[in-house]
């Protein structure tokens, strides 16, 4: 996943998360909120993993990124100390710069070819 697709995908997920938080504030039942949060989390793991693979890193790092993001999300923990929120944001800053601004590896890496060389659809044999 290239930089542009990553930033766009992450932007859509963030907008959906903000909308979900607003909906929860207006009485979204928890039985409906939990599957929606899990679906957004799964989507975020997929987007992060693809970008990490493009950068030549393991997709397992996306779990740590998502955990730090959940600690730093201001609407998730009303009672959490500001130190945790600020600390998570500081740790996420270099990660965000790396994933959003740095180009992917130009050639083949252990995760496959770069996104520009991958076919969108595989031919059916």
């Amino acid at each position: 996943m290239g930089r542009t697709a990553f930033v766009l995908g992450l932007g859509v997920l963030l907008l959906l998360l903000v909308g979900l938080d607003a909906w929860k504030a207006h009485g979204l039942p928890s039985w409906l909120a939990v599957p929606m949060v899990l679906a957004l989390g799964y989507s975020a793991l997929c987007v992060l993993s693809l970008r990490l693979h493009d950068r030549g890193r393991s997709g397992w790092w996306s779990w740590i990124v998502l955990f730090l993001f959940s600690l730093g999300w201001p609407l998730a923990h009303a009672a959490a100390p500001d130190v945790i929120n600020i600390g998570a944001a500081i740790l996420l800053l270099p990660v965000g710069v790396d994933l959003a601004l740095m180009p992917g590896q130009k050639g083949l890496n252990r995760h496959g070819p770069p996104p520009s060389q991958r076919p969108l659809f595989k031919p059916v044999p």
Side-chain angles (χ1 to χ4, degrees):
M1 171 176 283
R3 288 179 284 186
T4 305
F6 172 72
V7 170
L8 288 174
L10 205 60
V12 167
L13 289 173
L14 285 173
L15 285 174
L16 289 171
L17 186 58
V18 167
L20 183 63
D21 276 346
W23 196 9
K24 283 194 308 190
H26 286 74
L28 176 69
S30 61
W31 64 267
L32 187 57
V34 170
M36 294 172 93
V37 168
L38 291 175
L40 282 174
Y42 175 76
S43 299
L45 286 172
C46 292
V47 168
L48 284 166
S49 293
L50 286 172
R51 181 61 181 148
L52 286 164
H53 286 174
D54 184 38
R55 295 281 299 136
R57 293 179 175 83
S58 172
W60 287 103
W61 286 104
S62 60
W63 286 97
I64 296 171
V65 173
L66 199 60
F67 174 72
L68 288 173
F69 180 79
S70 69
L71 288 178
W73 185 250
L75 303 176
H77 307 288
D82 288 334
V83 175
I84 293 174
N85 293 355
I86 293 170
I90 289 171
L91 289 173
L92 279 174
L93 187 63
V95 174
V97 168
D98 179 57
L99 294 177
L101 301 178
M102 302 299 290
Q105 292 182 336
K106 299 222 184 280
L108 185 70
N109 65 21
R110 65 185 175 138
H111 305 290
S116 61
Q117 296 175 0
R118 289 185 202 137
L120 289 177
F121 301 102
K122 293 183 181 180
V124 177

